[in-house]
């Protein structure tokens, strides 16, 4: 019943309307009925009195003939449903239709009764009062009885008031019955009408519940043009708007989610109390953690890093942006720049965005640049110092000493040569690195190129008695920048000669594997210690600085090789064993 309160209320209102309107009508009806029926009864009583008055002889009254008068009232009284009383002009009761003659004699004087008093003074007397004789409320009507113009007595008719009430109750009963019927009708009608009114509302509730659950597949049926129909239309429109808004928000969320998760930077979003709202996959990767989306827990529980925690706290407390560099050793050895920016909502800090930026590469490049400048300066300084020293010695008089001056000038020339070599290598390196010069790709046979480069090294090869083993097939063609490839081979062969043992060997081989060509330059030289292997492609890195310098090396050869090969989208690797030789392998895509 409570569930259908509206239904109940509607029925109740019908019920009340009928009850109140009927009640008001019944009240006034009853009032006027009571008045009218009383008047009617009174009028008919007066008429009856007049009729009886006309039948009686005033003479018997004058003579106070009680016996005759008694017979008269009794005979009429038995015919009409009223009590008839005859009173003398002095108020003495002479006859009464409902009393025995003895009782009549004992009846008290009626001269002081209001109706009798009025009748004896020539008027129509009427009154309602309690009858001591009959012990009930009665309506009295009295008329004067005249004889030749003078009043000789009074004739009184009385009926019990209960009969008036009876008449009234008969009417009241009808009214009450009518009212009960009307109330039942109202109830039935109210039921039907309210059920009809409620039905669309119920349907509306059902469908709007679905709306609330996010199901917009159904629309509220709109079968009327009244307020309820209008409400249904408004709700449908609202649902439509809501659906498109939700769709829009979902799409936006998906976009944001996609951006968020595909970001290279790690992003952590925390709320005002420092609880993680979301973290992206970059953060998960950096810290080797997994975080369930939507789960809220304190930052330290997910990422056990005090630096991040502190910087986040600072941003949350002060509302300022903070940054800090963080070196991680586990799970990866990297350097990160962490920035914490507060998020404001209505001017109050409501959360914080922590962005983790991998700056390892930037740092590495910075260090490299610094080292490079230091190395270049150092490399330039050494030959320059020597040149300066020998030139000064020559100026100081050694020039006169023919034998020494020649030797000094030779050394100066060697150092100048070294300087030139260094500058050439640096220029090459910077040209390759800047990638300004595009590759001039041609297809050529590798064997031919190796032969050409080897011919430039004939003297050194002969001097060291090196054995050249060329296993390259004549039809191994490669597509590359020929000049750059020549430089690669020159540097590799130069090293293979420089770091070889007398009577050692240099072997060339090449083959095509899938979509690349693999070329190997192998020597039986001094080899490279395992600890140095990972670094020999760095600029200016030399295993034995003195030896390399002595042999005219700049420490740039292999880094030039690596750059050129990478420019060709290939890779270069080295395998080496100290005392046994080194094996340089590089690939060029077909
Ligand atoms: P460099 O001008 O000194 O030759 P590179 O960059 O060409 O500079 O080589 C770097 C270092 O790697 C050399 O100094 C040397 O120590 C080592 N190296 C290169 N090639 C060989 C090799 N074939 N055998 C042994 N050591 C080598």
């Amino acid at each position: 019943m409570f569930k259908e309160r509206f239904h109940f209320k509607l029925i109740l209102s019908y019920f009340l309307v009928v009850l109140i309107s009927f009640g008001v009508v019944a009240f006034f009806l009853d009032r006027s009925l009571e008045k009218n029926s009383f008047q009617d009864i009174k009028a008919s009583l007066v008429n009856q009195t007049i009729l009886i008055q006309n039948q009686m002889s005033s003479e018997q009254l004058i003579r106070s003939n009680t016996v005759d008068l008694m017979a008269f009232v009794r005979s009429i009284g038995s015919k009409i449903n009223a009590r008839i009383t005859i009173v003398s002009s002095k108020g003495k009761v002479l006859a009464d239709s409902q009393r025995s003659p003895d009782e009549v004699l004992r009846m008290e004087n009626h001269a002081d009764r209001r109706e009798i008093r009025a009748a004896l003074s020539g008027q129509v007397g009427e009154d309602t009062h309690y009858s001591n004789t009959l012990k009930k409320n009665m309506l009295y009507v009295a008329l004067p009885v005249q004889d030749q113009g003078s009043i000789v007595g009074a004739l009184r008719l009385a009926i019990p008031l209960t009969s008036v009430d009876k008449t009234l109750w008969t009417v009241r009963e009808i009214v009450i019955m009518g009212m009960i019927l009307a109330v039942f009708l109202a109830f039935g009608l109210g039921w039907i009408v309210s059920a009809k009114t409620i039905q669309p509302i119920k349907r509306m509730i059902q469908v709007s519940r679905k709306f609330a659950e996010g199901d917009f597949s159904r629309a509220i049926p709109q079968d009327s043009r009244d307020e309820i129909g209008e409400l249904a239309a408004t709700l449908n429109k609202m649902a439509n708007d809501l659906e498109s808004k939700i769709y829009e928000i979902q799409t936006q969320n998906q976009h944001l989610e996609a951006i968020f998760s595909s970001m290279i930077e790690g992003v952590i979003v925390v709320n005002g109390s420092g609880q993680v709202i979301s973290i992206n996959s970059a953060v998960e990767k950096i810290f080797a953690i997994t975080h369930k989306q939507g789960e809220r827990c304190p930052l330290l529980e997910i990422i056990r890093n005090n630096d991040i925690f502190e910087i986040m706290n600072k941003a949350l407390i002060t509302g300022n942006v903070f940054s800090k560099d963080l070196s991680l050793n586990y799970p990866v050895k990297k350097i990160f720049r962490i920035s914490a920016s507060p998020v404001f909502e209505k001017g109050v800090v409501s959360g914080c965005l922590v962005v983790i930026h991998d700056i390892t590469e930037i740092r590495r490049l910075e260090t490299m640049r610094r080292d490079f400048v230091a190395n270049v300066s150092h490399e330039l300084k050494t030959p320059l110092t020597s040149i300066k020293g020998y030139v000064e010695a020559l100026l100081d008089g050694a020039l006169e000493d023919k034998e020494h001056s020649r030797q000094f000038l030779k050394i100066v020339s060697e150092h100048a040569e070294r300087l030139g070599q260094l500058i050439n290598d640096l220029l090459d390196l910077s040209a390759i690195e800047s990638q300004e010069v595009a590759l001039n790709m041609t297809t050529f046979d590798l064997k031919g190129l190796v032969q050409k480069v080897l011919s430039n090294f004939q003297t050194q090869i002969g001097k060291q008695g090196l054995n050249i083993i060329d296993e390259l097939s004549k039809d191994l063609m490669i597509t590359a920048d020929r000049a750059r490839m020549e430089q690669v081979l020159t540097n590799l062969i130069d090293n293979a000669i420089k770091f070889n043992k007398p009577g050692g060997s240099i072997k060339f081989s090449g083959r095509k594997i899938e979509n690349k060509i693999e070329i190997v330059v192998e020597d039986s030289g001094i080899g490279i210690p395992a600890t140095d292997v990972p670094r020999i492609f760095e600029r200016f890195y030399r295993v034995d600085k003195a030896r390399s310098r002595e042999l005219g090396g700049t420490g740039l050869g292999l880094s030039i090789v690596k750059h050129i090969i990478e420019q060709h989208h290939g890779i270069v690797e080295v395998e080496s064993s100290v005392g046994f030789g080194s094996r340089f392998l590089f690939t060029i895509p077909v």
Side-chain angles (χ1 to χ4, degrees):
M1 202 66 179
F2 274 115
K3 266 191 143 181
E4 302 194 352
R5 267 199 313 240
F6 186 58
H7 195 177
F8 181 68
K9 272 185 197 163
L10 265 179
I11 296 172
L12 194 74
S13 56
Y14 266 80
F15 194 80
L16 283 176
V17 165
V18 169
L19 207 69
I20 291 168
S21 46
F22 234 98
V24 171
V25 169
F27 176 74
F28 287 107
L29 196 71
D30 187 67
R31 275 298 190 77
S32 85
L33 255 175
E34 192 178 348
K35 211 168 133 196
N36 284 346
S37 48
F38 191 73
Q39 296 290 345
D40 283 354
I41 290 166
K42 212 159 69 183
S44 96
L45 208 61
V46 170
N47 285 340
Q48 283 182 40
T49 317
I50 292 168
L51 284 175
I52 296 165
Q53 185 200 37
N54 287 339
Q55 284 179 41
M56 75 179 274
S57 75
S58 51
E59 216 168 300
Q60 281 165 344
L61 187 66
I62 297 163
R63 280 195 274 118
S64 298
N65 189 347
T66 317
V67 180
D68 285 354
L69 284 172
M70 272 299 280
F72 174 71
V73 294
R74 280 209 171 156
S75 85
I76 292 177
S78 67
K79 285 174 204 146
I80 60 165
N81 194 20
R83 175 187 169 196
I84 308 164
T85 314
I86 297 172
V87 182
S88 77
S89 59
K90 294 282 179 291
K92 185 179 164 15
V93 179
L94 296 175
D96 193 303
S97 62
Q98 288 180 8
R99 284 291 170 270
S100 65
D102 285 350
E103 284 170 331
V104 169
L105 277 179
R106 281 201 299 275
M107 277 171 75
E108 60 186 41
N109 190 297
H110 273 34
D112 59 340
R113 304 284 161 91
R114 274 194 20 204
E115 72 279 7
I116 301 290
R117 233 186 2 225
L120 290 179
S121 62
Q123 288 160 348
V124 177
E126 52 175 68
D127 197 15
T128 52
H129 57 78
Y130 188 74
S131 159
N132 278 333
T133 327
L134 295 176
K135 309 278 182 233
K136 30 174 120 152
N137 271 322
M138 306 282 283
L139 167 65
Y140 297 93
V141 169
L143 285 180
V145 180
Q146 293 181 340
D147 185 66
Q148 289 162 13
S150 63
I151 295 161
V152 292
L155 171 70
R156 186 181 78 171
L157 253 71
I159 53 163
L161 273 177
T162 44
S163 73
V164 179
D165 283 351
K166 229 185 195 164
T167 323
L168 271 175
W169 271 108
T170 338
V171 179
R172 272 182 195 146
E173 265 164 27
I174 295 168
V175 171
I176 287 169
M177 286 301 287
M179 192 153 86
I180 291 170
L181 194 73
V183 161
F184 269 105
L185 269 174
F187 195 79
L189 208 68
W191 188 279
I192 294 166
V193 172
S194 63
K196 270 209 150 258
T197 316
I198 276 170
Q199 207 181 14
I201 296 178
K202 270 188 181 166
R203 254 183 293 161
M204 230 179 267
I205 292 172
Q206 245 174 23
V207 181
S208 45
R209 247 187 221 141
K210 291 264 168 215
F211 289 168
E213 286 164 10
D215 174 7
F216 299 101
S217 57
R218 274 168 62 192
I220 300 169
Q222 193 188 337
D223 3 68
S224 61
R225 284 168 168 255
D226 55 10
E227 285 85 346
I228 289 182
E230 213 171 292
L231 180 64
T234 314
L235 277 177
N236 282 338
K237 191 187 168 303
M238 192 189 77
N240 263 340
D241 291 352
L242 213 64
E243 193 181 8
S244 50
K245 277 266 150 59
I246 288 175
Y247 178 75
E248 208 175 289
I249 291 170
Q250 269 173 349
T251 326
Q252 248 172 28
N253 264 354
Q254 277 164 3
H255 283 163
L256 281 178
E257 194 76 33
I259 294 170
F260 189 61
S261 56
S262 61
M263 269 175 81
I264 299 164
E265 286 83 11
V267 182
I268 308 168
V269 187
V270 296
N271 64 12
S273 39
Q275 282 181 317
V276 173
I277 294 171
S278 56
I279 62 177
N280 68 351
S281 45
V283 175
E284 292 185 327
K285 224 181 280 169
I286 294 169
F287 295 98
I289 49 160
T290 43
H291 175 250
K292 231 190 262 158
Q293 282 301 334
E295 197 180 58
R296 293 189 177 198
C297 43
L299 178 72
L300 268 184
E301 268 180 33
I302 305 173
I303 301 163
R304 292 182 197 282
N305 188 296
N306 260 325
D307 290 315
I308 299 180
F309 179 69
E310 264 170 31
I311 197 171
M312 172 205 78
N313 261 350
K314 272 202 223 163
L316 281 178
I317 294 165
T318 61
N320 293 323
V321 180
F322 288 93
S323 305
K324 190 176 184 175
D325 287 358
L326 169 77
S327 293
L328 265 195
N329 285 320
Y330 178 82
V332 276
K333 195 172 162 61
K334 282 200 160 165
I335 307 164
F336 296 100
R337 161 71 50 89
I338 319 160
S339 313
S341 330
V343 177
F344 291 94
E345 222 170 85
K346 291 177 190 155
V348 185
V349 179
S350 66
C352 170
L353 195 75
V354 181
V355 179
I356 303 168
H357 203 92
D358 186 350
I359 54 164
T360 319
E361 187 59 17
I362 298 170
R363 277 294 151 83
R364 197 184 66 81
L365 290 174
E366 274 172 10
T367 321
M368 241 172 79
R369 197 167 301 127
R370 243 194 336 260
D371 290 354
F372 181 68
V373 173
N375 282 331
V376 169
S377 321
H378 180 75
E379 295 297 327
L380 291 173
K381 216 172 142 189
T382 321
L384 260 179
T385 316
S386 299
I387 292 171
K388 213 175 140 210
Y390 285 106
V391 169
E392 267 167 18
L394 286 170
L395 287 174
D396 283 348
L399 201 61
E400 316 312 325
D401 179 350
K402 277 258 179 306
E403 197 187 320
H404 279 104
S405 67
R406 197 173 170 76
Q407 195 189 339
F408 283 8
L409 281 171
K410 220 174 130 196
I411 296 172
V412 168
S413 160
E414 269 170 22
H415 282 295
E417 177 76 17
R418 238 173 77 74
L419 268 180
Q421 181 64 39
L422 190 67
I423 286 160
N424 276 343
D425 277 0
L426 281 173
L427 285 175
D428 279 348
L429 198 63
S430 95
I432 298 162
E433 269 192 348
S434 71
Q435 299 193 345
E436 262 171 20
V437 192
L439 294 175
N440 179 19
M441 303 293 273
T442 48
T443 305
F444 53 92
D445 75 307
L446 194 70
K447 197 177 177 78
L449 187 65
V450 170
Q451 297 294 338
K452 188 196 163 201
V453 176
L454 278 173
S455 68
N456 296 336
F457 288 99
Q458 270 320 313
T459 330
Q460 287 101 309
I461 292 169
K463 226 190 248 171
Q464 288 205 52
L466 296 176
N467 183 21
I468 305 295
I469 309 160
D470 183 0
E471 288 181 357
L472 288 166
S473 137
K474 249 199 160 51
D475 32 75
L476 186 68
M477 304 297 281
I478 67 164
T479 304
D481 185 314
R482 198 182 149 99
R484 292 269 155 94
M485 274 304 144
E486 189 178 332
Q487 199 166 5
V488 167
L489 288 168
T490 305
N491 289 359
L492 289 178
I493 294 171
D494 182 37
N495 282 343
I497 297 171
K498 276 194 302 193
F499 303 105
N500 219 320
K501 295 176 209 154
S505 66
I506 305 172
K507 189 169 108 181
F508 299 93
S509 59
R511 55 182 179 152
K512 193 178 165 198
I513 310 169
E514 287 169 12
N515 52 355
K516 63 186 180 192
I517 288 171
E518 201 181 82
I519 302 129
V520 178
V521 180
E522 217 174 328
D523 65 66
S524 59
I526 57 166
I528 308 160
T531 45
D532 295 300
V533 166
R535 300 196 60 191
I536 55 161
F537 290 101
E538 284 176 22
R539 288 181 285 198
F540 297 113
Y541 190 82
R542 282 164 288 193
V543 178
D544 183 343
K545 265 193 184 175
R547 179 169 179 169
S548 160
R549 213 169 279 145
E550 202 181 298
L551 295 167
T554 57
L556 293 172
L558 285 181
S559 65
I560 292 173
V561 168
K562 188 168 188 241
H563 267 95
I564 293 174
I565 299 300
E566 279 173 1
Q567 235 180 355
H568 281 84
H569 307 291
I571 52 157
V572 56
E573 289 167 357
V574 61
E575 278 169 30
S576 188
S577 154
V578 177
F580 291 98
S582 312
R583 181 175 186 267
F584 285 85
L585 177 151
F586 65 92
T587 61
I588 297 289
V590 175

